[in-house]
């Protein structure tokens, strides 16, 4: 018996097994494949070839096909000499470590791991992490000041939101909030994201309610509102250093643009969804 596991960044492989020159098995598998052979009578040759890894950044806003209820996050790792914080680990000034008991399961680059606040990567570059949170809830400050977080995608099965969840993440460039919420997004949900370019709100997000939501985001280029309505109780967008030249707010052709008029300083509302 043995287990074959792809190296980081690879998600599937092609396996060929021969015994004494005769073919026993050939086929494709996922990132990990257990192998058990009975009645071994001569030399075995097991060959596993991993194809070129997929471009995970192109799928940042798509739920994982095998784990559609997991939050998908991509991390841009530049330093492998130290463990990379995946969730708030208490290492940053003013940061409180997230309670790991709220994490039910975790997959890193296609391999199931014991849930942890940090992970030691062996390679630099982009890495995909899937996290299943208990009770389908995103609790307060889960990724507050997480330094290497590049993107986040929260699927529709999640039913709550809290303050400061994705605030002050210096590499966060793309975010898709596709929760099914009874209340609007609360204060400080995404604030001080200096690299944030694209934000999407799914049809189940009813709006924004509070201050410093999508504030201080000088790199913003696009906001997508996928629902038919979107309530905003305050002017949430903007704050310090709004992007020069503005940004585009994408809505559907049936969307009542008067409901959000004046809520996006320097933004242009376009019905192209």
């Amino acid at each position: 018996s043995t287990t074959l596991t792809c190296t980081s960044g690879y998600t599937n492989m092609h396996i060929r097994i021969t015994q004494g020159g005769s073919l026993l098995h050939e086929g494709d598998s996922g990132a990990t494949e257990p192998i058990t052979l009975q009645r071994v009578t001569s030399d075995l040759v097991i060959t596993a070839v991993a194809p070129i890894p997929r471009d995970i950044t192109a799928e940042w806003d798509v739920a994982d096909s095998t784990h559609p209820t997991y939050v998908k996050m991509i991390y841009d790792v530049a330093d492998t000499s130290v463990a990379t914080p995946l969730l708030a680990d208490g290492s940053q000034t003013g940061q409180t470590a997230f309670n790991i008991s709220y994490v039910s399961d975790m997959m890193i680059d296609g391999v199931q791991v014991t849930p942890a606040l940090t992970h030691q990567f062996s390679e630099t570059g982009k890495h995909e992490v899937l996290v299943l949170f208990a009770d389908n809830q995103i609790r307060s400050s889960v990724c507050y000041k997480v330094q290497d977080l590049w993107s986040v995608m929260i699927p529709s099965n999640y039913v709550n939101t809290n303050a400061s969840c994705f605030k002050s993440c210096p590499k966060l460039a793309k975010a898709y909030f596709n929760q099914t919420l009874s209340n609007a997004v609360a204060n400080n949900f995404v604030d001080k994201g200096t690299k944030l370019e694209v934000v999407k709100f799914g049809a189940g997000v009813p709006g924004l309610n509070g201050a410093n939501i999508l504030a201080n985001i000088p790199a913003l280029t696009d906001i997508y509102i996928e629902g038919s309505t979107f309530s905003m109780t305050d002017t949430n967008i903007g704050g310090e250093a709004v992007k020069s030249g503005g940004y585009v707010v994408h809505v559907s052709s049936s969307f009542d643009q008067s409901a959000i008029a004046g809520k996006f300083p320097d933004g242009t509302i376009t019905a192209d969804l």
Side-chain angles (χ1 to χ4, degrees):
S1 295
T2 189
T3 298
L4 305 180
T5 302
C6 291
T7 192
S8 296
Y10 294 81
T11 59
N12 54 80
M13 56 186 156
H14 184 81
I15 299 173
R16 178 181 172 86
I17 305 173
T18 62
Q19 179 174 254
S22 298
L23 181 65
L24 294 183
H25 169 81
E26 184 168 14
D28 295 327
S29 78
T32 300
E33 180 72 12
I35 295 174
T36 300
L37 301 172
Q38 307 291 339
R39 298 183 181 180
V40 178
T41 59
S42 59
D43 289 347
L44 295 171
V45 177
I46 301 175
T47 304
V49 179
I52 297 173
R54 62 188 174 86
D55 180 8
I56 60 175
T57 63
E59 302 173 348
W60 71 269
D61 58 347
V62 180
D64 184 83
S65 59
T66 56
H67 299 86
T69 62
Y70 287 50
V71 173
K72 177 194 285 188
M73 293 183 281
I74 297 174
Y75 297 79
D76 187 2
V77 178
D79 184 1
T80 59
S81 66
V82 294
T84 298
L86 305 179
L87 306 173
D89 67 340
S91 63
Q92 303 298 313
T93 301
Q95 183 190 67
T96 299
F98 187 71
N99 187 341
I100 197 64
S101 68
Y102 292 139
V103 176
S104 301
D105 193 21
M106 181 176 285
M107 308 282 295
I108 297 180
D109 292 327
V111 177
Q112 187 177 39
V113 300
T114 300
L117 298 177
T118 65
H119 182 76
Q120 185 75 52
F121 289 100
S122 59
E123 299 175 8
T124 60
K126 301 290 197 309
H127 295 270
E128 181 183 89
V129 179
L130 304 177
V131 182
L132 180 63
F133 289 97
D135 304 322
N136 291 334
Q137 296 191 44
I138 303 297
R139 290 173 168 83
S140 181
S141 303
V142 57
C143 282
Y144 175 47
K145 292 187 175 181
V146 172
Q147 299 296 294
D148 288 338
L149 181 64
W150 182 83
S151 72
V152 57
M153 186 277 175
I154 304 178
S156 60
N157 55 291
Y158 283 81
V159 295
N160 86 318
T161 181
N162 273 292
S164 303
C165 285
F166 301 94
K167 178 180 178 180
S168 298
C169 297
K171 290 185 181 180
L172 183 63
K174 302 176 186 296
Y176 186 13
F177 304 117
N178 195 27
Q179 299 102 306
T180 302
L181 305 176
S182 58
N183 296 311
V185 174
N187 292 0
N188 301 312
F189 191 71
V190 177
D191 181 20
K192 298 182 179 179
T194 57
K195 297 291 183 65
L196 189 63
E197 300 171 354
V198 178
V199 181
K200 296 184 177 184
F201 294 104
V205 177
L208 308 179
N209 178 23
N212 298 322
I213 301 174
L214 297 181
N216 312 302
I217 44 175
L220 180 68
T221 61
D222 297 274
I223 296 174
Y224 294 83
I225 299 175
E226 298 178 350
S228 57
T229 61
F230 200 76
S231 174
M232 298 178 67
T233 59
D234 198 353
T235 300
N236 310 96
I237 312 300
E240 303 171 7
V242 176
K243 178 179 173 59
S244 175
Y247 49 89
V248 178
V249 181
H250 305 266
V251 298
S252 68
S253 58
S254 60
F255 190 90
D256 181 7
Q257 296 186 24
S258 65
I260 58 173
K263 299 294 187 179
F264 295 94
D266 300 311
T268 301
I269 302 174
T270 303
D272 59 358
L273 294 184

